[in-house]
Amino acid sequence: MTISRRVLLGGALAAPVLAGCSRRPQSLAYDGPPVTGIVVTKAARRMLLLSGRTVICEHRVDLGSNPVGPKRWEGDGRTPEGFYIVDKRNPKSQYHLSVGISYPNAQDMAYAAALGRPPGGDIFFHGTPPDKPRGTDWTAGCMAVSNREIEEIYAMVRDGTPVWISP
């Protein structure tokens, strides 16, 4: 099932505020509207940060090296699909900064177990190293943005924020 902006936002598109986007933070502080949800649409390579029904920020994301379909097991190169929450933050990530999601959930673990494979883990939104060109799918299953963008996301998003990832 694809989550469209229209369905997610209750049938009417709210105008983007983009208050936090494209500002290079002087520190990892943010004083804009709270981020109450994150929506990633893999086919469009887009991530929306929402406050209620309002899109406050939008970013292009690079995905896993094998992006079509949901993540099924460790090493498959896919980015997960489904409902997760932000559950960890890493200020010392090898990819500048990172914000983790709760993959694998119970459904992911059951599917991988049925195949006799480990589900994998450590799925993050993170920055991009200088040797990786933007606009390519290169991660092991994470969602990569520019280093400037992950600084904004890191400052804006709190643990417990819902994350929906659709095909």
Side-chain angles (χ1 to χ4, degrees):
M1 178 179 112
T2 301
I3 301 172
S4 72
R5 283 176 103 170
R6 184 169 304 281
V7 169
L8 180 71
L9 301 175
L13 288 177
V17 173
L18 305 177
C21 288
S22 301
R23 290 186 313 177
R24 183 166 183 88
Q26 298 303 315
S27 67
L28 294 180
Y30 171 68
D31 63 357
V35 174
T36 58
I38 300 172
V39 175
V40 175
T41 306
K42 289 171 46 174
R45 305 299 192 275
R46 303 312 286 172
M47 173 177 45
L48 305 176
L49 277 65
L50 306 173
S51 183
R53 295 176 16 174
T54 302
V55 176
I56 59 172
C57 206
E58 181 172 356
H59 296 292
R60 186 194 192 306
V61 293
D62 296 336
L63 303 172
S65 60
N66 184 24
V68 178
K71 184 161 195 61
R72 294 301 191 190
W73 57 79
E74 184 174 32
D76 66 5
R78 293 184 175 173
T79 300
E81 295 174 3
F83 176 76
Y84 305 93
I85 62 166
V86 170
D87 67 348
K88 56 192 159 281
R89 306 159 68 70
N90 185 356
K92 297 181 181 181
S93 169
Q94 67 179 349
Y95 300 111
H96 190 56
L97 294 169
S98 59
V99 175
I101 65 169
S102 59
Y103 177 88
N105 61 28
Q107 182 179 357
D108 300 320
M109 288 188 280
Y111 191 92
L115 298 173
R117 314 258 333 235
D122 287 336
I123 301 296
F124 289 88
F125 297 105
H126 60 64
T128 302
D131 65 327
K132 299 294 183 189
R134 293 281 295 137
T136 61
D137 293 322
W138 58 271
T139 76
C142 296
M143 294 149 283
V145 295
S146 74
N147 290 344
R148 182 186 54 78
E149 291 166 338
I150 195 60
E151 290 174 4
E152 294 172 350
I153 294 163
Y154 194 92
M156 295 170 75
V157 173
R158 300 289 165 248
D159 287 359
T161 302
V163 178
W164 296 271
I165 305 172
S166 70

